[in-house]
Amino acid sequence: MTDTIKHHLTDDLLMGYAAGALPEAFSLVVAAHVSMCDECRARLWAFDTLGGALLEGASPDGMSQDSLGQTLARIKSNPEAGPTAPEPRVITTGVFPAPLRDYVGGDLEDVRWRPVGMGVKQAILPTVRSATARLLYIPAGAAVPDHGHRGTELTLVLQGAFSDETDHFGAGDIEVANEDLNHTPVAGIEADCICLAATDAPLRFNSLIPRLAQPFLRI
Ligand code: ZN
Ligand code: ZN
């Protein structure tokens, strides 16, 4: 899995997660990606270590400019000493990574999907409502309607793949979208695409039908 992941979390998201500052829905997506991705697990561990050092009173000025780089280099050169992943437990069998299994109470077969239209289905996960986490099921070759974003949207691919105006995203990849991006994600034709997505503001759909359905779908 890890070797095929090309799209990773931003430093801001990893730092926010390490500091416990993200909305629950975002934390879930970060934890799920980290549990699938050695690289982000190492970066998170470095942020945790740095954060701990700062809390213990080390002055930031006293730390070399490149503390993070050095920590990462140490992790890379000695993977055995690396992170043991504090919360995001390492992937299990099945489609869902462990942090997600806890929310769903099982795996893919336990999800109660609701149709969104055009064959796309979703299942909203129970989190505090400052941000929404949902599972998305996009049939092979189908598209999510063209939309923009009023806030941040994190989309983690769990199975299959999708492409949009920016790139191709396969299993384990995460797309971080914001106000600057307008896109039409289209599932690959080889397999149905299953994603875990989190948003902290309603999407901005460009066509009428999805806009009308929005309040009911909490999307
Ligand atoms: Zn990653
Ligand atoms: Zn989007």
Short mmCIF file of all heavy atoms in Angstrom, two decimals, residues 13 16-17 20-31 103 127-133 152 154 198-201:
data_model
loop_
_atom_site.label_atom_id
_atom_site.label_comp_id
_atom_site.label_asym_id
_atom_site.label_seq_id
_atom_site.Cartn_x
_atom_site.Cartn_y
_atom_site.Cartn_z
N LEU A 13 -2.06 19.86 8.42
CA LEU A 13 -3.01 18.85 8.91
C LEU A 13 -2.34 17.93 9.93
O LEU A 13 -2.94 17.60 10.96
CB LEU A 13 -3.58 18.04 7.74
CG LEU A 13 -4.63 18.78 6.91
CD1 LEU A 13 -4.85 18.08 5.57
CD2 LEU A 13 -5.95 18.90 7.67
N GLY A 16 -1.86 19.91 13.11
CA GLY A 16 -3.16 20.11 13.75
C GLY A 16 -3.62 18.84 14.44
O GLY A 16 -4.14 18.87 15.56
N TYR A 17 -3.39 17.72 13.78
CA TYR A 17 -3.77 16.43 14.37
C TYR A 17 -2.94 16.14 15.61
O TYR A 17 -3.48 15.76 16.66
CB TYR A 17 -3.57 15.34 13.33
CG TYR A 17 -3.92 13.95 13.82
CD1 TYR A 17 -5.24 13.52 13.85
CD2 TYR A 17 -2.94 13.08 14.27
CE1 TYR A 17 -5.57 12.25 14.31
CE2 TYR A 17 -3.26 11.81 14.73
CZ TYR A 17 -4.58 11.40 14.75
OH TYR A 17 -4.89 10.15 15.21
N GLY A 20 -4.12 18.00 18.48
CA GLY A 20 -5.52 17.76 18.85
C GLY A 20 -6.43 18.92 18.48
O GLY A 20 -7.47 19.14 19.09
N ALA A 21 -6.04 19.67 17.44
CA ALA A 21 -6.77 20.89 17.10
C ALA A 21 -7.74 20.73 15.93
O ALA A 21 -8.43 21.67 15.56
CB ALA A 21 -5.76 22.00 16.77
N LEU A 22 -7.79 19.55 15.33
CA LEU A 22 -8.68 19.38 14.17
C LEU A 22 -10.09 18.98 14.61
O LEU A 22 -10.27 18.33 15.62
CB LEU A 22 -8.13 18.27 13.26
CG LEU A 22 -6.76 18.47 12.63
CD1 LEU A 22 -6.44 17.28 11.72
CD2 LEU A 22 -6.69 19.77 11.86
N PRO A 23 -11.09 19.34 13.79
CA PRO A 23 -12.44 18.81 14.03
C PRO A 23 -12.40 17.28 13.96
O PRO A 23 -11.55 16.71 13.26
CB PRO A 23 -13.27 19.37 12.88
CG PRO A 23 -12.46 20.43 12.25
CD PRO A 23 -11.02 20.18 12.59
N GLU A 24 -13.32 16.65 14.67
CA GLU A 24 -13.33 15.19 14.75
C GLU A 24 -13.32 14.52 13.37
O GLU A 24 -12.60 13.54 13.13
CB GLU A 24 -14.56 14.74 15.55
CG GLU A 24 -14.58 13.24 15.81
CD GLU A 24 -15.87 12.81 16.53
OE1 GLU A 24 -16.75 13.65 16.75
OE2 GLU A 24 -15.97 11.60 16.84
N ALA A 25 -14.13 15.06 12.45
CA ALA A 25 -14.24 14.44 11.12
C ALA A 25 -12.88 14.45 10.40
O ALA A 25 -12.50 13.50 9.73
CB ALA A 25 -15.28 15.17 10.29
N PHE A 26 -12.13 15.57 10.53
CA PHE A 26 -10.81 15.66 9.90
C PHE A 26 -9.83 14.71 10.59
O PHE A 26 -9.00 14.08 9.93
CB PHE A 26 -10.27 17.10 9.96
CG PHE A 26 -10.90 18.03 8.96
CD1 PHE A 26 -12.07 17.69 8.30
CD2 PHE A 26 -10.32 19.26 8.68
CE1 PHE A 26 -12.65 18.56 7.38
CE2 PHE A 26 -10.88 20.13 7.76
CZ PHE A 26 -12.04 19.78 7.11
N SER A 27 -9.91 14.64 11.92
CA SER A 27 -9.02 13.74 12.66
C SER A 27 -9.20 12.30 12.19
O SER A 27 -8.24 11.55 12.07
CB SER A 27 -9.30 13.80 14.16
OG SER A 27 -8.86 15.02 14.67
N LEU A 28 -10.45 11.95 11.92
CA LEU A 28 -10.72 10.58 11.46
C LEU A 28 -10.02 10.30 10.12
O LEU A 28 -9.38 9.26 9.94
CB LEU A 28 -12.24 10.37 11.33
CG LEU A 28 -12.67 9.06 10.66
CD1 LEU A 28 -12.17 7.86 11.45
CD2 LEU A 28 -14.19 9.02 10.51
N VAL A 29 -10.12 11.27 9.18
CA VAL A 29 -9.50 11.06 7.87
C VAL A 29 -7.98 11.03 8.00
O VAL A 29 -7.30 10.20 7.39
CB VAL A 29 -9.94 12.16 6.87
CG1 VAL A 29 -9.32 11.91 5.50
CG2 VAL A 29 -11.46 12.20 6.76
N VAL A 30 -7.43 11.94 8.83
CA VAL A 30 -5.98 11.95 9.04
C VAL A 30 -5.53 10.61 9.65
O VAL A 30 -4.58 9.99 9.18
CB VAL A 30 -5.56 13.13 9.94
CG1 VAL A 30 -4.09 13.00 10.37
CG2 VAL A 30 -5.79 14.45 9.22
N ALA A 31 -6.23 10.16 10.69
CA ALA A 31 -5.86 8.90 11.34
C ALA A 31 -5.94 7.73 10.35
O ALA A 31 -5.07 6.85 10.34
CB ALA A 31 -6.76 8.63 12.54
N TYR A 103 -15.44 3.57 13.71
CA TYR A 103 -16.59 4.46 13.50
C TYR A 103 -17.76 3.73 12.87
O TYR A 103 -18.92 4.00 13.17
CB TYR A 103 -16.20 5.65 12.61
CG TYR A 103 -15.63 6.80 13.39
CD1 TYR A 103 -14.32 6.77 13.85
CD2 TYR A 103 -16.41 7.91 13.71
CE1 TYR A 103 -13.79 7.80 14.59
CE2 TYR A 103 -15.88 8.97 14.45
CZ TYR A 103 -14.58 8.90 14.89
OH TYR A 103 -14.07 9.93 15.63
N THR A 127 -20.06 12.11 13.91
CA THR A 127 -19.00 12.95 14.51
C THR A 127 -19.69 14.22 14.99
O THR A 127 -20.83 14.49 14.61
CB THR A 127 -17.93 13.38 13.47
OG1 THR A 127 -18.56 14.16 12.44
CG2 THR A 127 -17.25 12.17 12.83
N VAL A 128 -18.99 15.03 15.78
CA VAL A 128 -19.53 16.34 16.14
C VAL A 128 -19.69 17.15 14.85
O VAL A 128 -18.92 16.98 13.90
CB VAL A 128 -18.64 17.09 17.15
CG1 VAL A 128 -18.69 16.44 18.50
CG2 VAL A 128 -17.23 17.22 16.65
N ARG A 129 -20.68 18.05 14.84
CA ARG A 129 -21.11 18.58 13.54
C ARG A 129 -20.32 19.77 13.02
O ARG A 129 -20.65 20.32 11.98
CB ARG A 129 -22.61 18.91 13.60
CG ARG A 129 -23.44 17.63 13.67
CD ARG A 129 -24.92 17.90 13.54
NE ARG A 129 -25.31 18.28 12.19
CZ ARG A 129 -26.49 18.01 11.66
NH1 ARG A 129 -27.40 17.35 12.35
NH2 ARG A 129 -26.79 18.41 10.43
N SER A 130 -19.24 20.16 13.68
CA SER A 130 -18.44 21.27 13.15
C SER A 130 -17.84 20.88 11.79
O SER A 130 -17.51 21.75 10.98
CB SER A 130 -17.33 21.64 14.13
OG SER A 130 -16.53 20.52 14.42
N ALA A 131 -17.69 19.60 11.55
CA ALA A 131 -17.28 19.11 10.24
C ALA A 131 -17.95 17.76 10.05
O ALA A 131 -18.28 17.09 11.02
CB ALA A 131 -15.76 18.97 10.15
N THR A 132 -18.16 17.39 8.77
CA THR A 132 -18.90 16.17 8.47
C THR A 132 -17.98 15.14 7.82
O THR A 132 -17.22 15.48 6.93
CB THR A 132 -20.06 16.49 7.50
OG1 THR A 132 -20.85 17.53 8.07
CG2 THR A 132 -20.94 15.26 7.27
N ALA A 133 -18.10 13.91 8.29
CA ALA A 133 -17.35 12.81 7.67
C ALA A 133 -18.36 11.89 6.99
O ALA A 133 -19.42 11.59 7.55
CB ALA A 133 -16.56 12.04 8.71
N THR A 152 -12.47 23.39 3.65
CA THR A 152 -11.53 22.33 3.29
C THR A 152 -12.29 21.02 3.10
O THR A 152 -13.21 20.73 3.84
CB THR A 152 -10.49 22.15 4.42
OG1 THR A 152 -9.82 23.40 4.62
CG2 THR A 152 -9.47 21.07 4.07
N LEU A 154 -11.28 16.96 2.61
CA LEU A 154 -10.28 15.89 2.56
C LEU A 154 -10.96 14.66 1.98
O LEU A 154 -12.03 14.27 2.45
CB LEU A 154 -9.76 15.54 3.96
CG LEU A 154 -9.22 16.67 4.82
CD1 LEU A 154 -8.73 16.11 6.16
CD2 LEU A 154 -8.09 17.37 4.10
N ALA A 198 -14.16 14.29 4.31
CA ALA A 198 -14.57 15.18 5.39
C ALA A 198 -14.61 16.61 4.86
O ALA A 198 -13.75 17.02 4.08
CB ALA A 198 -13.61 15.09 6.56
N THR A 199 -15.64 17.36 5.27
CA THR A 199 -15.79 18.76 4.86
C THR A 199 -16.15 19.58 6.08
O THR A 199 -16.86 19.10 6.97
CB THR A 199 -16.91 18.92 3.81
OG1 THR A 199 -18.05 18.16 4.23
CG2 THR A 199 -16.48 18.43 2.44
N ASP A 200 -15.69 20.85 6.11
CA ASP A 200 -16.06 21.72 7.23
C ASP A 200 -16.97 22.85 6.78
O ASP A 200 -17.24 23.78 7.53
CB ASP A 200 -14.81 22.25 7.95
CG ASP A 200 -13.91 23.06 7.04
OD1 ASP A 200 -14.23 23.21 5.84
OD2 ASP A 200 -12.87 23.54 7.52
N ALA A 201 -17.44 22.77 5.52
CA ALA A 201 -18.40 23.76 5.00
C ALA A 201 -19.10 23.11 3.82
O ALA A 201 -18.54 22.23 3.17
CB ALA A 201 -17.66 25.03 4.56
#
